[in-house]
Amino acid sequence: GLCPQLQGARKVLYFHENQLVYPTQCEKERDYQFGYNQIVSALMADLVLFNSSYNLQSFVGSIDSFLNKMPDYKPKGIAEMIRKKAQVLYFPIEFQIEKRTIRDPKVLHIVWPHRWEHDKNPDDFFSSLQSLISSGHDFKVSVLGKTYRDVPNIFREFQSANPGHIAQWGPLDSREEYLNHLETCDVIVSTAVHEFYGVAMLEGLWAGCFPLCPNRLSYPEIYPKECLFNTPSQLTKHLRQLCKNPGLARRKWERVMGEV
């Protein structure tokens, strides 16, 4: 409407994420305008692309319940209209790591490269690490990713209580440093409750890290069963096994690279 000259152009909309299933800590905090804007944009597009099947299905499958929360007119058939023109196009990644470091680690190096926010579920991650420490297992951990003003308390609590296990705390100064650091790690972990693709996990895999991901969101369509866990206790069990035999992470990684 603001630029009538574009009316005849083919309109392609790409969803890197969707706001309909964002896990707010309190439902009153949800900004419904974001979700409404995405639905209207998808209606206007000729082709709607999603970066994963989970993204597509969670968006289309949530439209009706989202619109039912509107106080007045509740349009019908919107989800099916969008589904008919929706496709999955996985997000392309340019890997800058040409040669992976060959290593035989004596101590397992775990990396967590996600935003320091509640939707990445850091509590489950640090709970697993604390269980390893309590049972006497040795490891080192790098907690990377972007930090924001409101950082969950669990980060400060773990850092202050376990400085001897920390290899790197906080984001690195450049992307080159970040990628080089990934090459020193053995296993990369996600505990997210909000993820539509997971670029950081794939970068870690390419750098030589064995991935451990929750059996939900976009992860099951990307990673084999060997990489998936259903509960925090299962994650702890996987990490405990790798702490006892750090070289096992390399052998698992080689198998996974042949399947992903």
Side-chain angles (χ1 to χ4, degrees), residues 163-174:
H165 286 279
I166 296 173
Q168 169 65 32
W169 193 262
L172 294 157
D173 293 334
S174 69

Side-chain angles (χ1 to χ4, degrees), residues 107-128:
V107 176
L108 187 71
H109 190 173
I110 303 167
V111 61
W112 195 84
H114 313 287
R115 285 185 286 105
W116 294 23
E117 292 187 300
H118 79 277
D119 63 304
K120 299 306 179 183
N121 191 18
D123 292 67
D124 279 0
F125 175 67
F126 289 117
S127 177
S128 286

Side-chain angles (χ1 to χ4, degrees), residues 40-205:
V40 172
S41 296
L43 281 173
M44 295 302 298
D46 298 299
L47 176 64
V48 186
L49 299 174
F50 294 82
N51 63 348
S52 68
S53 178
Y54 167 72
N55 195 1
L56 189 161
Q57 298 301 334
S58 65
F59 180 75
V60 175
S62 299
I63 289 175
D64 287 344
S65 59
F66 182 88
L67 292 178
N68 282 338
K69 296 175 183 177
M70 296 176 63
D72 298 313
Y73 177 66
K74 299 177 176 60
K76 305 295 182 182
I78 299 298
E80 190 57 31
M81 292 172 62
I82 294 174
R83 188 187 297 275
K84 288 180 179 179
K85 52 185 177 181
Q87 298 178 23
V88 174
L89 179 63
Y90 287 116
F91 182 77
I93 305 175
E94 182 180 359
F95 293 107
Q96 300 176 12
I97 302 168
E98 297 181 1
K99 184 178 180 181
R100 302 175 190 89
T101 303
I102 302 300
R103 54 186 180 271
D104 184 18
K106 305 301 180 185
V107 176
L108 187 71
H109 190 173
I110 303 167
V111 61
W112 195 84
H114 313 287
R115 285 185 286 105
W116 294 23
E117 292 187 300
H118 79 277
D119 63 304
K120 299 306 179 183
N121 191 18
D123 292 67
D124 279 0
F125 175 67
F126 289 117
S127 177
S128 286
L129 296 191
Q130 202 63 57
S131 294
L132 296 177
I133 294 170
S134 297
S135 56
H137 290 91
D138 194 16
F139 65 88
K140 54 184 178 179
V141 61
S142 290
V143 180
L144 311 178
K146 293 182 178 180
T147 60
Y148 296 89
R149 182 179 61 184
D150 297 323
V151 174
N153 292 333
I154 190 66
F155 287 92
R156 183 181 66 256
E157 293 169 0
F158 183 88
Q159 182 189 25
S160 61
N162 306 288
H165 286 279
I166 296 173
Q168 169 65 32
W169 193 262
L172 294 157
D173 293 334
S174 69
R175 178 162 176 78
E176 181 179 6
E177 288 183 72
Y178 168 72
L179 294 175
N180 287 339
H181 191 80
L182 286 180
E183 290 190 83
T184 71
C185 303
D186 305 302
V187 57
I188 185 168
V189 178
S190 170
T191 46
V193 294
H194 179 241
E195 185 61 82
F196 296 101
Y197 188 57
V199 172
M201 292 297 292
L202 286 168
E203 289 176 335
L205 172 65

Side-chain angles (χ1 to χ4, degrees), residues 198-245:
V199 172
M201 292 297 292
L202 286 168
E203 289 176 335
L205 172 65
W206 191 258
C209 302
F210 174 64
L212 285 173
C213 322
N215 189 17
R216 58 177 178 254
L217 311 174
S218 61
Y219 296 122
E221 65 185 278
I222 299 174
Y223 298 97
K225 291 183 179 180
E226 185 177 13
C227 303
L228 305 176
F229 58 86
N230 293 307
T231 64
S233 61
Q234 286 184 357
L235 170 60
T236 304
K237 183 178 179 179
H238 282 300
L239 291 175
R240 185 179 295 119
Q241 180 189 38
L242 295 174
C243 284
K244 293 177 179 178
N245 184 3

